[in-house]
Amino acid sequence: MNCGLYLYGIFPNTFLDKLELKGLDSQPVFTENVEGFTFLYSVAQQEKYLASRRNLIRHEKVLEEAMSEGFRTLLPLRFGLVVKDWDTVITQLILPHKEQLTDLFKKLAGRREVSLKILWDTKEELQALMALNQDLKSKRDAMEGKTLSMEEIIEIGQLIESNLQVRKQEIIQAFHQGLHTLADDIVESDPMMEEMIYNGAYLIPWDAESEFSTRVEEIDKKFGDRLRIRYNNFTAPYTFAQI
């Protein structure tokens, strides 16, 4: 069943004809040069794709496998993009956004996105904070077993939170100082869970990844067992490819 074209991503004007990839619904992935851009696509078997884990992973795998074949400059498209035909691509994407697409390819040329997420154990950090800050510990202990007013609850909560924030910033600043000089662009997003204290994406020169990952490990070691690091060194550059 042909429901149109499912689009994965766009390359600069490059002729690609030997990518042996399988896309959604196990469909073969092809390339099509349209108005100076090369699109990575498969024939859509559905009018709308469910954002299931399986489908999302398959979409990502197509992009990553294409990049691993050496086609590094890739503009990923959002999951679930099904179009009727190439005329739709021209009228709705290329014509209104051609200048932006060209600028994005210049920005992405020779660069890759890596991501860094830093997590800690909030309870352990709180215990360590109290061990180092006896005044704060004494204030907290003095309130235990008492009926506190709302003002007192807010005050002690704010004191604890502000001191934890200082500890967070010390960690984040260490990574900033060690990593920012390697990046051409950085996007920091909100943490995705309570124990995540940092969530950042870095656009770095393709060949700088080895040095970048080494620095991440070196900084992590300075904090002993306090941190859990999630580092992704190979991903399509979604963060830096916004139109």
Side-chain angles (χ1 to χ4, degrees):
M1 180 179 180
N2 185 344
C3 296
L5 308 170
Y6 183 95
L7 306 182
Y8 299 91
I10 317 172
F11 295 96
N13 188 10
T14 307
F15 182 73
L16 309 173
D17 62 349
K18 295 182 180 181
L19 288 177
E20 297 181 1
L21 308 178
K22 292 291 185 181
L24 271 68
D25 298 317
S26 298
Q27 292 296 301
V29 175
F30 304 102
T31 60
E32 180 78 12
N33 191 281
V34 184
E35 298 289 322
F37 299 102
T38 297
F39 285 79
L40 201 60
Y41 78 99
S42 60
V43 176
Q45 304 299 297
Q46 305 174 47
E47 293 182 357
K48 185 176 181 180
Y49 282 87
L50 178 68
S52 65
R53 176 177 173 80
R54 179 180 179 181
N55 285 343
L56 290 168
I57 289 176
R58 187 67 257 162
H59 179 96
E60 293 294 326
K61 283 294 184 182
V62 168
L63 298 173
E64 292 173 5
E65 288 170 6
M67 292 169 64
S68 69
E69 291 289 330
F71 305 104
R72 296 176 172 179
T73 304
L74 167 66
L75 186 64
L77 295 172
R78 62 177 174 80
F79 171 82
L81 184 56
V82 177
V83 297
K84 180 181 179 181
D85 50 34
W86 294 116
D87 286 339
T88 303
V89 172
I90 294 171
T91 58
Q92 296 188 15
L93 178 59
I94 295 178
L95 291 181
H97 301 292
K98 188 170 186 177
E99 184 175 347
Q100 291 172 284
L101 292 171
T102 301
D103 290 343
L104 280 174
F105 279 122
K106 290 178 181 178
K107 179 179 180 178
L108 297 175
R111 299 174 178 87
R112 66 195 297 172
E113 176 177 332
V114 297
S115 65
L116 175 67
K117 295 175 175 58
I118 306 172
L119 301 92
W120 72 3
D121 188 307
T122 305
K123 291 182 179 179
E124 289 185 4
E125 288 296 324
L126 180 57
Q127 291 175 356
L129 169 62
M130 293 302 171
L132 292 172
N133 192 327
Q134 289 300 311
D135 287 342
L136 181 59
K137 184 177 185 300
S138 296
K139 287 182 180 180
R140 186 196 65 173
D141 292 348
M143 292 180 173
E144 290 184 357
K146 295 182 178 180
T147 301
L148 303 178
S149 67
M150 183 59 69
E151 289 75 13
E152 289 173 320
I153 294 173
I154 292 173
E155 179 185 6
I156 190 64
Q158 289 178 337
L159 281 171
I160 292 173
E161 179 59 31
S162 63
N163 279 273
L164 282 175
Q165 190 64 31
V166 169
R167 292 172 70 84
K168 287 181 184 180
Q169 288 305 314
E170 289 173 350
I171 295 169
I172 294 170
Q173 187 60 31
F175 281 92
H176 281 178
Q177 292 175 350
L179 301 176
H180 279 207
T181 56
L182 289 177
D184 294 317
D185 196 4
I186 302 165
V187 174
E188 295 178 342
S189 303
D190 292 335
M192 302 165 65
M193 60 187 71
E194 182 181 354
E195 294 194 335
M196 185 180 294
I197 63 173
Y198 181 76
N199 181 14
Y202 296 76
L203 188 67
I204 63 175
W206 193 274
D207 297 329
E209 192 283 321
S210 178
E211 182 180 357
F212 192 94
S213 63
T214 297
R215 289 195 190 183
V216 170
E217 292 177 5
E218 291 173 347
I219 300 166
D220 182 30
K221 288 179 181 178
K222 293 179 181 179
F223 294 97
D225 297 328
R226 289 176 62 188
L227 308 177
R228 301 195 309 279
I229 301 297
R230 295 181 183 176
Y231 174 60
N232 188 344
N233 70 341
F234 193 75
T235 183
Y238 280 101
T239 309
F240 303 97
Q242 302 297 320
I243 297 180

